[in-house]
Amino acid sequence: MIQIENLTKIFHSAAGEVTALREVSFSIEDGDVFGIIGMSGAGKSTLLRCLSMLEQPTSGRILLDGVDLASLRGKQLLAARRRMGVVFQGYHLLMQKSVRENVAFPLRLAGVRRAEREARVDELLELVGLADKANAYPAQLSGGQRQRVAIARALATNPQVLLCDEPTSALDPLTTRQVLELLRELNQRLGVTIVVITHEIAVVREICNKVAVIDAAQFAEGGRTDEIFAKPASSITRLLLGVEGGRKHA
Amino acid sequence: MLETILSLKGVLLEGLGATLYMVAGSTIFSYLLGLPLGVLLYTTGKGGIHENLPLNRALGWIVNIGRSIPFIILIIALIPFTRLVAGKAIGPTAAIVPLVIGAAPFVARLVEQSLQEVDTGVIEAAKCMGATRLQIILQVLLGESLPSLIRGLSITAITLIGYSAMAGTVGAGGLGDIAIRYGYYRYQTEVMLFTILLLVLLVCLIQFLFGFTANRIDKRNRS
């Protein structure tokens, strides 16, 4: 379980202070497909960077099974990172390495033996439907295929949580549906918790059983997707849903 | 003309050998110094995996000072140091010392630039996968920038051909030395032209070989 407690992140720059997140609290249960939705600039990406331990919270805590992520150092930090797979918006694949080497990369970092590594990679590529592309290089793949490689790579260390940043924003509608289908399947087959950061309401509606709406650095509302979407309490949710009563947004 | 060249065959071959020896030796040693320095320049920079701005600025200054001293002056100024390291101040082996000192800062900048081409997102992704800093340097930074590093290597080798010709003027031998001794002091222009031709061929060969290798191994070119 992931508990986010009063998470605040302030960036200091020459232009002054920017509060990217203010007192955000909610929890993600094991096995959820959890959507975090908001407009661009709402703070979603900062939230993902805090969850993936790329940024330290200014105040507040993120607990993974009761352990404060910010308190981890050294080996424990590396171990915690292996329990969370991250799929980045830009995929961030190693361009000089083949699909096989990319998926094997986290295993190599973890010191997994070669034979075991190879078997796991085959299994993962099978899982994401890219077994025939094992020896291709990222430059030879389409956006949807790269996304699948990124997903397979993130799953390599058997993480309990898969964090996905805008997994479909660069994909066409058909590929989007396939990638979402894959995420749902992974959640059901592997029991992995999936957190999807998105600005697209359709993505949340399609696969997320729960949702948190982030607006202007704050938590607007959250809960079961069907309930939130049936009775949106905040004006930002109404706006995202495109229903009457949503406030005008610049 | 051909007769003069043929009569100097031995001298020219020896000169070519000395040039190749100096260029190869100094390229290897300038990378032994410059590659770690370039990695350090990159990783200690702002947002780097070992961010340390005072160290980064100090290294930057050292590199800039090293690069701003004209090479011909560096050779002279380094004579006592050269004697200390190589045991002598004259000859191709001795020339490698100033060549390395002159080229290492240049190599450091080239390496830094190659590393800057690596997508920072890939470095973050590796961090998220639990990579240690050493793993990031070896497997992500150097691995992803390898084609660019090889292109930098050819620039270094070619620059060192030019530097080695200068080193020739202070008794290092090599093609530059022949060009000056025969072509300039003895007015044998054809010898000078011939050594220039050899140098041009050498540069083209290096450029071609390294460029070809870099393109060949660059997986971004696959389609």
Side-chain angles (χ1 to χ4, degrees), chain A residues 27-101:
Chain A
S27 349
I28 301 168
E29 307 275 344
D30 288 340
D32 276 346
V33 178
F34 198 102
I36 297 175
I37 190 166
M39 301 278 206
S40 335
K44 308 184 298 285
S45 292
T46 306
L47 185 53
L48 177 108
R49 292 180 66 82
C50 289
L51 282 169
S52 56
M53 292 173 271
L54 289 169
E55 299 282 354
Q56 289 271 355
T58 306
S59 65
R61 304 190 300 172
I62 299 173
L63 306 174
L64 177 63
D65 293 337
V67 179
D68 185 357
L69 293 180
S71 72
L72 298 172
R73 295 282 177 278
K75 281 215 164 64
Q76 286 173 310
L77 176 64
L78 296 185
R81 287 197 145 136
R82 290 186 182 124
R83 288 167 63 198
M84 281 208 259
V86 187
V87 179
F88 293 91
Q89 191 174 3
Y91 320 129
H92 298 336
L93 300 176
L94 296 160
M95 297 303 284
Q96 301 296 347
K97 293 196 159 58
S98 68
V99 166
R100 167 174 292 283
E101 291 169 309

Side-chain angles (χ1 to χ4, degrees), chain B residues 61-154:
Chain B
W61 271 102
I62 293 171
V63 166
N64 287 344
I65 290 169
R67 291 194 60 193
S68 50
I69 301 171
F71 182 63
I72 194 85
I73 295 170
L74 194 69
I75 301 175
I76 315 277
L78 282 176
I79 286 176
F81 179 71
T82 303
R83 236 184 229 119
L84 196 75
V85 177
K88 54 188 174 207
I90 287 178
T93 304
I96 289 178
V97 176
L99 284 172
V100 169
I101 303 292
F106 176 72
V107 170
R109 283 289 183 220
L110 279 178
V111 169
E112 184 191 20
Q113 242 171 49
S114 292
L115 300 185
Q116 276 164 350
E117 288 167 23
V118 177
D119 181 3
T120 51
V122 179
I123 300 167
E124 288 196 333
K127 262 191 219 170
C128 287
M129 287 181 251
T132 62
R133 289 192 271 209
L134 188 65
Q135 285 172 325
I136 291 177
I137 291 172
L138 295 178
Q139 309 200 30
V140 180
L141 288 174
L142 296 180
E144 286 293 286
S145 62
L146 193 60
S148 172
L149 288 171
I150 288 177
R151 288 186 192 103
L153 188 62
S154 75

Side-chain angles (χ1 to χ4, degrees), chain A residues 139-199:
Chain A
Q140 299 166 303
L141 302 179
S142 69
Q145 290 170 328
R146 289 184 198 190
Q147 183 67 282
R148 284 163 188 273
V149 178
I151 292 171
R153 182 175 71 173
L155 287 172
T157 52
N158 257 321
Q160 66 189 88
V161 185
L162 189 64
L163 301 172
C164 307
D165 190 9
E166 300 279 6
T168 60
S169 63
L171 306 177
D172 60 68
L174 180 67
T175 319
T176 294
R177 208 156 53 225
Q178 289 169 342
V179 166
L180 293 180
E181 194 57 49
L182 174 66
L183 290 177
R184 188 188 358 237
E185 201 186 307
L186 293 172
N187 170 257
Q188 283 162 3
R189 276 176 61 179
L190 308 174
V192 62
T193 307
I194 294 183
V195 179
V196 178
I197 305 260
T198 185
H199 64 270

Side-chain angles (χ1 to χ4, degrees), chain B residues 23-97:
Chain B
V23 171
S26 53
T27 302
I28 292 169
F29 284 104
S30 58
Y31 267 86
L32 284 181
L33 275 179
L35 185 70
L37 192 59
V39 169
L40 217 52
L41 270 175
Y42 177 77
T43 55
T44 58
K46 198 160 174 51
I49 54 172
H50 276 120
E51 187 177 295
N52 183 337
L53 295 180
L55 177 63
N56 186 261
R57 265 193 291 274
L59 288 173
W61 271 102
I62 293 171
V63 166
N64 287 344
I65 290 169
R67 291 194 60 193
S68 50
I69 301 171
F71 182 63
I72 194 85
I73 295 170
L74 194 69
I75 301 175
I76 315 277
L78 282 176
I79 286 176
F81 179 71
T82 303
R83 236 184 229 119
L84 196 75
V85 177
K88 54 188 174 207
I90 287 178
T93 304
I96 289 178
V97 176

Side-chain angles (χ1 to χ4, degrees), chain B residues 159-198:
Chain B
T159 305
L160 280 167
I161 290 179
Y163 281 7
S164 77
M166 276 191 255
T169 60
V170 290
L175 291 176
D177 175 45
I178 294 172
I180 293 212
R181 275 196 292 140
Y182 290 83
Y184 185 62
Y185 297 142
R186 299 190 195 174
Y187 302 106
Q188 286 177 299
T189 312
E190 66 267 33
V191 179
M192 180 150 72
L193 289 176
F194 188 73
T195 56
I196 291 173
L197 182 70
L198 281 179

